[in-house]
Amino acid sequence: MKALITGASSGIGRDIAIELSKRKYELIIVARDAKKLEEVKQELNTNVKIICMDLSNIDNCKKLYEENKDIDILINNAGFGDCGDFSKTSLEKEILMINTNIMAYHILTKLYLQKMKNENKGRILNVASIAGFMPGPLMATYYSTKSYIVRLSEAIREELKKDKSKVQISILCPGPVNTNFNKVADVQFAIKGQSSEFVARYAVNKFLKGKFYIVPGLKIKLAKIGAKIAPSNFVAKISYRMQKRKIQ
């Protein structure tokens, strides 16, 4: 069995790689930082292929698929965020974010899903966020990218059901996690973050059991329910206050 993991050089991606390696999966780990990928490889006990690649480049996404079609599991995890008033944040950074958080997921999900459906087997895990269920003032672009992943995955799940396909798709929706994301996004969370090791272990266990919504932790499960039943303008106000406290 073989799994391909994007954004595997640190955080959740790295720890998912470790968890799958414990379960004897061969791995293809993808990220931009070759040195960090080599460090991850040293922690793994199964065959590992390293691919140093920037997935904000659309052609790279297509190349990744063409050169690595033979996999059983796809883990879309690469991504980053930013924090600040939408009128003041960097457009260039946001375009890179959209390309990484949406376009790379969309392309890889589509290409691998087509192959998996033809073979009637395979699993896809899209790493989203609890942010995907609510508006995110002061992190507008990031929240929007995660909402896209949630809705895309939900739609694909229904199509697979109607086709009676054996292909599985799932979404991982954690809350704050102690990873390099916080540094890149320039935020500090008011809620204590979970460890990426815990999130990855929880995610892999639930994913391999076929669960669709994978939401680690009781507080985050409650936040998902609250975001679903509360008016969006109320959720936006609460979210704004939370984001405001994050800005350094």
Side-chain angles (χ1 to χ4, degrees):
M1 302 289 282
K2 185 181 296 185
L4 185 152
I5 307 169
T6 69
S9 61
S10 63
I12 295 173
R14 173 200 64 203
D15 292 320
I16 286 177
I18 292 171
E19 289 297 321
L20 288 175
S21 181
K22 290 177 182 177
R23 291 162 174 78
K24 308 304 180 184
Y25 279 84
E26 295 182 35
L27 299 172
I28 302 170
I29 55 175
V30 186
R32 292 181 297 176
D33 193 322
K35 182 180 179 181
K36 286 185 178 180
L37 286 174
E38 287 289 351
E39 291 172 356
V40 174
K41 183 177 180 179
Q42 299 307 311
E43 301 184 65
L44 306 176
N45 299 315
T46 46
N47 291 334
V48 181
K49 178 181 178 180
I50 287 176
I51 299 177
C52 185
M53 181 176 283
D54 180 2
L55 294 180
S56 68
N57 183 304
I58 291 173
D59 290 334
N60 282 349
C61 296
K62 295 176 181 177
K63 179 180 179 182
L64 178 63
Y65 168 74
E66 289 297 334
E67 295 181 355
N68 301 276
K69 292 183 179 181
D70 186 22
I71 65 169
D72 303 284
I73 290 177
L74 168 66
I75 311 284
N76 278 315
N77 172 70
F80 67 94
D82 195 16
C83 191
D85 189 296
F86 182 73
S87 66
K88 299 176 182 177
T89 47
S90 166
L91 176 60
E92 289 72 23
K93 186 173 183 180
E94 287 169 341
I95 291 171
L96 284 175
M97 193 193 310
I98 291 168
N99 286 345
T100 306
N101 294 15
I102 293 180
M103 292 303 296
Y105 277 60
H106 186 106
I107 293 167
L108 293 175
T109 297
K110 190 175 190 72
L111 293 176
Y112 280 107
L113 183 67
Q114 289 172 339
K115 183 174 186 294
M116 289 177 178
K117 284 190 71 176
N118 286 336
E119 298 173 350
N120 202 27
K121 63 178 182 178
R123 302 173 188 255
I124 297 173
L125 175 63
N126 285 330
V127 178
S129 168
I130 193 63
F133 298 98
M134 59 188 71
L138 300 182
M139 290 189 76
T141 304
Y142 174 75
Y143 273 55
S144 297
T145 64
K146 292 306 178 182
S147 178
Y148 183 95
I149 299 309
V150 168
R151 295 308 184 198
L152 178 70
S153 302
E154 289 173 334
I156 292 170
R157 176 184 62 160
E158 186 62 21
E159 292 176 357
L160 291 171
K161 282 184 178 180
K162 295 301 183 186
D163 290 340
K164 294 182 171 54
S165 174
K166 293 182 180 179
V167 177
Q168 173 194 336
I169 188 164
S170 302
I171 47 174
L172 171 59
C173 303
V177 181
N178 297 322
T179 68
N180 192 52
F181 173 92
N182 304 358
K183 181 178 179 181
V184 175
D186 195 24
V187 297
Q188 48 189 355
F189 291 103
I191 302 173
K192 183 179 179 182
Q194 297 171 316
S195 72
S196 60
E197 293 88 352
F198 166 77
V199 172
R201 184 169 59 253
Y202 183 92
V204 170
N205 285 336
K206 295 296 184 181
F207 175 58
L208 294 180
K209 291 177 181 177
K211 189 169 181 62
F212 178 69
Y213 293 111
I214 302 173
V215 185
L218 178 59
K219 288 182 179 180
I220 308 305
K221 287 182 172 68
L222 292 175
K224 177 178 177 289
I225 295 170
K228 184 176 181 180
I229 64 177
S232 61
N233 61 336
F234 176 76
V235 176
K237 288 179 181 179
I238 298 299
S239 182
Y240 180 89
R241 292 173 185 172
M242 293 177 65
Q243 310 305 346
K244 191 70 174 177
R245 291 199 296 267
K246 295 177 187 177
I247 301 176
Q248 297 174 334

